[in-house]
Amino acid sequence: KLLQVKAPHVTRTILKGNMGNMGCSNAEPQPTSKEEIVLHATKSALNQSTKALKSDHDEVEKWLNEMLANSTRGCSLSEKTCDTIEYDQWEEYAEAVQESAMSSMTGAEVQKAKGKIAETFKAMSHMVAASGNVAVIELNKEGGEQVIAGYAFAFARDNDNVQFASVETGGVWKMQAGYQLQSKEWSDTQLQEKVRNYITYNAFTELLQQLGSS
C-alpha cells in the first residue's frame, strides 16, 4: 500500500509599488475584481508550475484512463472559492477554510494534508501574495480503493483586504473485483511522483481558469 502526502509548496511573489500612470497613455489597466487581483499577483508562478508538470500530467492521464476503464464508480472532488476578506476577519476566515478543505474525504492521510494546509496558512501571514498546493495520494496496487486528490490556492493582499481563491480536484474510486492497479514500467516511487505532478497540474490549471486566465 502506497501512501503519500505532499508537503506544502508555496511560491512567494513580491508586488512592486505602483507610482501611477504619470501621463503615460499605454499603461496597463490595474486589476479591480478579486479574481483579477489574485491572478495579477500569482499568474506567472502558476504558469511556470503547470508548464513544468505538463509532461507527467499527460503520461498519467493516459494511464489513468486505462485504469478507470476497470473501475467502479467513485466520488469526485470539485470545490471552488474566491473571496474578499477584511484584514481583521482573516484569522477567522482562515480557520474556516482549513476546516472545510477536503471535508468530503476521511482518513489519516487527509488529516495529515489538512495539517500541511494549516502550516501553509501560518506562513501566508508574512507574505504579500502566494500560491501553493497540497496533494493526497493513496494507491493500492492490489486493487480496492484509490485516492488522488489535490488542493490549490492563491491569494493577494491589497490596501484593505485579502483576496483568496482555492480549488479542490480529484477523487476516490475502486478497482473492480479481480483487477489490480498496474503501473506500467514505472517503479512505485516514479508512480507516486508522476501522479503527484498530475494532480498538482490539474489543481493549478483549474485555479487559473477560476481566476479568468485564458
Side-chain angles (χ1 to χ4, degrees), residues 1 3 5 75 77 99-114 136-138 145-149 168 171-172:
K1 184 174 181 178
L3 299 178
V5 175
C75 65
L77 286 175
E99 182 66 26
S100 63
M102 296 185 172
S103 58
S104 62
M105 302 171 61
T106 60
E109 299 307 311
V110 174
Q111 291 305 311
K112 290 180 183 179
K114 289 169 76 72
V136 175
I137 301 166
E138 185 172 346
E145 189 169 88
Q146 317 293 329
V147 180
I148 302 177
E168 293 180 21
V172 180

Side-chain angles (χ1 to χ4, degrees), residues 46-119:
L46 290 171
N47 279 337
Q48 288 178 11
S49 295
T50 55
K51 183 178 181 180
L53 300 170
K54 181 69 164 60
S55 177
D56 279 350
H57 168 271
D58 292 350
E59 281 190 72
V60 171
E61 186 171 56
K62 181 179 179 181
W63 166 81
L64 191 57
N65 285 336
E66 295 172 358
M67 293 300 100
L68 290 175
N70 298 316
S71 70
T72 59
R73 181 181 298 274
C75 65
S76 298
L77 286 175
S78 182
E79 297 290 337
K80 299 179 181 180
T81 185
C82 189
D83 296 315
T84 298
I85 310 98
E86 296 180 2
Y87 282 143
D88 60 358
Q89 296 177 346
W90 169 250
E91 205 170 303
E92 181 180 353
Y93 176 86
E95 289 180 1
V97 169
Q98 293 169 52
E99 182 66 26
S100 63
M102 296 185 172
S103 58
S104 62
M105 302 171 61
T106 60
E109 299 307 311
V110 174
Q111 291 305 311
K112 290 180 183 179
K114 289 169 76 72
K116 299 296 184 182
I117 294 172
E119 292 175 12

Side-chain angles (χ1 to χ4, degrees), residues 126-138:
H126 306 293
M127 301 177 188
V128 175
S131 58
N133 71 284
V134 174
V136 175
I137 301 166
E138 185 172 346

Side-chain angles (χ1 to χ4, degrees), residues 11-15 31 35-45 128-130 155-157:
T11 302
R12 180 175 298 187
T13 305
I14 304 299
L15 300 183
E35 291 85 0
E36 290 173 343
I37 291 171
V38 177
L39 184 63
H40 179 74
T42 61
K43 182 178 181 179
S44 177
V128 175
F155 85 99
R157 300 176 186 271

